[in-house]
Amino acid sequence: MRNRVEWRDATVAEIREIAEDVRYIAFAVTGAVPRFDPGAHSNFRVEINGQPANRTYTTIPAPPGQIAVAVKLHPQSRGGSRFMWALQPGQPVRLTLPENRFELSWRAPHYLLLAGGIGITPIYGMARALAARGASLRLVYAARSRALMAFADELQALLGDRLVLRDNAAGQHVDLAAEFAALPPDAECYLCGPIGMLEAAKSAWVAAGRPISRLRYEVFGDSGLFAEKPFVVDVLNRDISVPVRSDQTLLEALLGAGVDMIYDCQRGECGLCAVKVLERDAEIDHRDVFLSPDEKAENHRMCACVSRLSAGRATIDIGYRT
Ligand code: FES
């Protein structure tokens, strides 16, 4: 695992469509690219409405000297996927060397991999790595339709009957309780998908009497209940109102307004960016995996890096921050 973010210059080396609305984009990186594990991700410097921003994408297996990602074009995108989809071969970009917060343990006697939609990106790399080591695994991959399933043909050839595809359009869904009941005692589950899939999996995992430490997960930062709309926050004791555009996060807007925020992951995982919500006239769209379901239901806090207001206005308390 890399602990230091290292930015590099790169150029777009290859672009191809690998599913409906999903593009494989590979980048030739200046300087040596260290080996990285499946589940790692890189940050990309993007431009959204003329403003610089960073977006994070999971890295997938790539030729030596390259970093590759699979990017789904989101109609509700805050602008990151639109930028990535507009890239052309040979175009220069800035990116970080991969770092990993979603690591395989390599210790389990059996692995259940669960992917929902574009959540296949880290799971694809894990499946390839585990299969190469001869590990015991099963991959269950669900999406709204078969046409949206990137890597499905390759995984089918690699895994055979160890791969199960669930095409929602054909009425197929993942039976989480049955999947977990069939696992040997020390099995581990790695999941990447929308937040609803994660919450259902967490409940089913606990109901199956399995230790939560053996369920590892990552969710999409943009998998919310509501489409992104602008909203405004009034910051207690700062006497400022901060408008949040639909193409930026609350954290980005607060930082842009000069509010001193503490944050780290920017993926809704560490909780460092959480702010208190004192008043609001709209729903909070909780998109983090840090707060518990009870805490989310209370609506007293929200993680500024991913969660947002459905619209309207809220008063927040940033606490100790100056
Ligand atoms: S920075 Fe980690 S949850 Fe927001």
Side-chain angles (χ1 to χ4, degrees):
M1 174 174 170
R2 301 181 57 78
N3 292 314
R4 191 167 57 86
V5 173
E6 185 175 333
W7 286 93
R8 290 281 185 88
D9 291 316
T11 54
V12 179
E14 184 183 353
I15 300 174
R16 62 192 150 84
E17 304 220 357
I18 53 174
E20 195 175 295
D21 288 345
V22 183
R23 274 190 186 164
Y24 169 94
I25 310 174
F27 302 86
V29 182
T30 302
V33 178
R35 192 187 68 81
F36 52 90
D37 292 327
H41 57 266
S42 284
N43 299 319
F44 289 77
R45 194 86 77 208
V46 303
E47 197 169 290
I48 297 171
N49 294 336
Q51 300 293 319
N54 295 334
R55 289 291 181 268
T56 303
Y57 292 94
T58 299
T59 52
I60 57 178
Q66 294 189 7
I67 287 173
V69 296
V71 181
K72 180 174 175 57
L73 181 62
H74 290 279
Q76 306 289 359
S77 165
R78 285 185 277 113
S81 69
R82 278 203 305 277
F83 176 91
M84 297 296 276
W85 267 60
L87 290 171
Q88 298 294 324
Q91 190 170 334
V93 295
R94 291 276 289 166
L95 52 73
T96 62
L97 292 179
E99 57 176 341
N100 202 343
R101 294 193 180 100
F102 186 38
E103 292 174 283
L104 275 170
S105 70
W106 298 112
R107 67 176 177 194
H110 179 78
Y111 295 86
L112 173 64
L113 307 178
L114 292 178
I118 195 61
I120 190 62
T121 50
I123 299 298
Y124 163 70
M126 289 178 176
R128 282 185 39 158
L130 289 168
R133 289 203 188 184
S136 173
L137 79 128
R138 173 179 167 89
L139 167 52
V140 181
Y141 181 8
R144 284 185 287 111
S145 79
R146 178 65 175 77
L148 295 168
M149 292 184 182
F151 309 115
D153 292 340
E154 181 186 340
L155 289 167
Q156 192 89 66
L158 177 71
L159 301 177
D161 61 8
R162 293 177 294 172
L163 172 70
V164 176
L165 300 178
R166 290 283 180 258
D167 176 352
N168 297 168
Q172 299 168 346
H173 297 279
V174 181
D175 186 340
L176 290 166
E179 291 292 341
F180 296 162
L183 293 174
D186 291 331
E188 292 183 353
C189 176
Y190 290 74
L191 179 153
C192 186
I195 199 151
M197 182 183 192
L198 170 62
E199 298 297 354
K202 277 199 220 169
S203 298
W205 188 260
V206 170
R210 294 187 171 272
I212 200 72
S213 61
R214 290 185 178 267
L215 173 65
R216 312 193 68 180
Y217 49 82
E218 188 170 73
V219 294
F220 321 144
D222 59 355
S223 63
L225 295 175
F226 303 95
E228 288 85 356
K229 290 191 178 153
F231 61 98
V232 177
V233 290
D234 301 312
V235 185
L236 188 75
N237 297 330
R238 290 295 305 270
D239 205 22
I240 54 170
S241 297
V242 180
V244 184
R245 300 189 313 264
S246 58
D247 63 0
Q248 66 180 167
T249 65
L250 171 57
L251 177 64
E252 288 168 347
L254 289 170
L255 291 171
V259 178
D260 186 18
M261 295 288 292
I262 294 178
Y263 59 95
D264 180 26
C265 69
Q266 297 189 63
R267 298 164 66 85
E269 294 168 0
C270 70
L272 280 177
C273 67
V275 297
K276 282 187 193 164
V277 181
L278 306 178
E279 285 179 2
R280 61 190 167 84
D281 62 9
E283 296 291 320
I284 299 176
D285 196 356
H286 289 286
R287 301 177 172 198
D288 65 283
V289 293
F290 174 75
L291 298 175
S292 70
D294 286 347
E295 288 173 314
K296 288 177 182 173
E298 287 171 1
N299 281 322
H300 291 162
R301 288 198 295 162
M302 66 189 286
C303 289
C305 65
V306 290
S307 299
R308 51 193 305 117
L309 220 59
S310 61
R313 195 171 199 111
T315 302
I316 62 169
D317 182 358
I318 57 170
Y320 56 87
R321 302 169 181 106
T322 56

